[in-house]
Amino acid sequence: MVPSSSTPPPDRSSGRGEGSSGRGEGSSGRANAREERRQGLAVRLAEDPYGAPPFGMNDMLSVEDVRSLRREASAKPYEGRRKVAIIVAADRMNAAASNALLKTLEEPPGSLMLILTASRSGRLLPTIVSRCQPVFLSRLREDEVKSSLIERYDVSPEEAGELARTSDGRLSEALAASSERGSKIREDAFALLECVNDATPLSLFEQVESLVASHREEPVVEKILDHLLSLYRDLFVLSSANGSPTLSNADCTEPLRERASAMDAEEIEKGIAAIEEARRDIARNAHVQLALLVLVLRLRINR
C-alpha cells in the first residue's frame, strides 16, 4: 500500500444541467484518479525499489485506505499461513488514517503481518510506534553507494563518487540528487544563499515566494533547507580549517571560499542553528512561507 492522492485534479468530464448534480460522477472520477495515482507509485516502486517514490503534496494515506486494508486482511489467505501487507511511507498518514491504523494494530486479524516503512518515524503517532517492533536499517558505506550507482544505474565513476560522498549512506538520496529535480533543488538552495547575502530585501522576499509556489506543487522546501544546511556547514569548515578541507559541495568550493572569507565562525553557527530550527518548524506543520521569511531575515541579520 502506498499513499494515494487525496486531492486529485477535478473531473472536468462530469456535466450538470440535465437533471444531475454530477456529484456521483465527480466522486467516482476522484476515486479513480486516486487509485491510478497509487498504482502509478506502486509501479515506480516495483521498478526501482531503491529510489525514493516521487510523492507529491497530496499523496497521503487516508482513513479509507486503512479501512480497505482491514477488509482485505479479514479474508483468509489463499496460499501460505499468513497475509503480509506493507504500508510504504507510513509517516505520510493523516490523523484519521493514523487512528484507524491504531485500531487495526490493537486488534489485528489473526493472519495478517503488517510492515510499516517510514523515513521520518518521528511523525508516526507514539501509540503506533509502541505497538510495533522497530527495525532500524543502518546506512550504507560510501563505497557501497558508489558501486551501486555505477553498477545499477550506469552513473559515471566521478559523479558516483561525488553523489556517494554527499548521500549520508542513503542510496535513495544519491539517486534523488542525480535527477533533474534534485539538481533544481540544489540550484535553488545556492540561489537562496546568494540572495540572503547579496540581494535587496524585495528580491529576497520574491525568492521566498517563488520557493513557496514550487512547494505547493511538490514538497521541496525541506529538501532545499537540507541543501542550504550543507552549504552552511561547508562555510563553517572553510572558515575554520586550513589547507584543502573536504566539502559536501566540492564543485562550489571557490564561491563558498569567497563567501566564507567574509563571515566569522559565530555568524555561520547562528545560521546553522536558524536553518535547523526552520526545518523542525516546517516538519511540525508550521506555515511554510512564514517559516521561510523568518529564516531568511535571521540569516540576513546574522551577516
Side-chain angles (χ1 to χ4, degrees):
M1 176 185 292
V2 296
S4 59
S5 178
S6 59
T7 55
D11 182 4
R12 302 186 185 277
S13 63
S14 58
R16 298 190 182 191
E18 297 184 4
S20 170
S21 66
R23 287 184 179 179
E25 294 178 12
S27 176
S28 174
R30 286 190 293 273
N32 290 337
R34 283 195 295 270
E35 184 61 25
E36 288 177 6
R37 172 65 176 168
R38 181 165 59 183
Q39 291 297 329
L41 287 170
V43 168
R44 289 283 296 271
L45 187 60
E47 291 175 346
D48 185 8
Y50 299 99
F55 293 129
M57 285 291 293
N58 297 315
D59 288 322
M60 304 290 290
L61 281 164
S62 68
V63 64
E64 183 53 41
D65 292 325
V66 177
R67 289 171 179 166
S68 175
L69 169 65
R70 188 172 180 86
R71 286 194 297 268
E72 293 176 9
S74 63
K76 292 183 178 180
Y78 289 109
E79 298 180 359
R81 293 173 296 176
R82 305 179 71 88
K83 280 189 171 182
V84 178
I86 302 175
I87 299 182
V88 177
D91 49 330
R92 299 186 67 88
M93 286 187 292
N94 59 30
S98 296
N99 290 324
L101 181 64
L102 183 59
K103 294 179 180 178
T104 302
L105 292 173
E106 290 173 342
E107 301 174 5
S111 62
L112 176 66
M113 174 179 289
L114 192 58
I115 299 174
L116 283 64
T117 71
S119 58
R120 302 164 297 181
S121 58
R123 294 192 178 185
L124 292 170
L125 288 179
T127 45
I128 288 180
V129 176
S130 67
R131 286 164 173 77
C132 298
Q133 176 62 53
V135 178
F136 297 99
L137 303 180
S138 60
R139 303 288 173 90
L140 298 172
R141 298 194 310 273
E142 183 177 319
D143 63 308
E144 291 176 326
V145 176
K146 180 178 179 179
S147 62
S148 294
L149 290 171
I150 295 172
E151 296 168 8
R152 294 177 181 270
Y153 299 96
D154 296 324
V155 178
S156 68
E158 294 78 12
E159 184 182 1
E162 181 68 22
L163 292 170
R165 191 166 52 78
T166 59
S167 68
D168 195 22
R170 294 172 292 179
L171 181 57
S172 61
E173 287 296 315
L175 292 171
S178 68
S179 67
E180 182 178 345
R181 173 177 177 264
S183 298
K184 178 64 166 58
I185 287 173
R186 191 164 178 263
E187 290 171 4
D188 286 342
F190 197 84
L192 185 58
L193 173 66
E194 292 184 320
C195 276
V196 165
N197 288 275
D198 303 328
T200 64
L202 178 59
S203 296
L204 187 57
F205 293 155
E206 289 175 346
Q207 178 73 7
V208 169
E209 289 181 358
S210 175
L211 294 179
V212 172
S214 298
H215 187 74
R216 292 192 187 104
E217 300 295 325
E218 197 173 359
V220 296
V221 165
E222 289 181 80
K223 289 291 185 184
I224 290 172
L225 292 185
D226 286 343
H227 282 289
L228 184 62
L229 186 60
S230 77
L231 290 169
Y232 262 78
R233 286 173 174 163
D234 282 349
L235 289 173
F236 183 81
V237 170
L238 288 168
S239 70
S240 56
N242 296 320
S244 302
T246 300
L247 303 180
S248 296
N249 301 276
D251 57 326
C252 302
T253 298
E254 289 310 313
L256 288 174
R257 191 185 299 278
E258 181 179 349
R259 199 164 298 283
S261 66
M263 305 171 73
D264 57 47
E266 182 180 0
E267 179 183 339
I268 298 171
E269 285 181 351
K270 289 180 179 179
I272 291 173
I275 297 169
E276 290 178 334
E277 183 176 338
R279 290 171 67 207
R280 288 193 298 269
D281 290 343
I282 292 174
R284 295 168 182 160
N285 294 322
H287 191 280
V288 173
Q289 185 165 2
L290 180 58
L292 275 181
L293 284 173
V294 171
L295 171 62
V296 296
L297 290 174
R298 289 180 64 184
L299 294 176
R300 198 173 183 89
I301 291 171
N302 287 336
R303 288 174 49 196

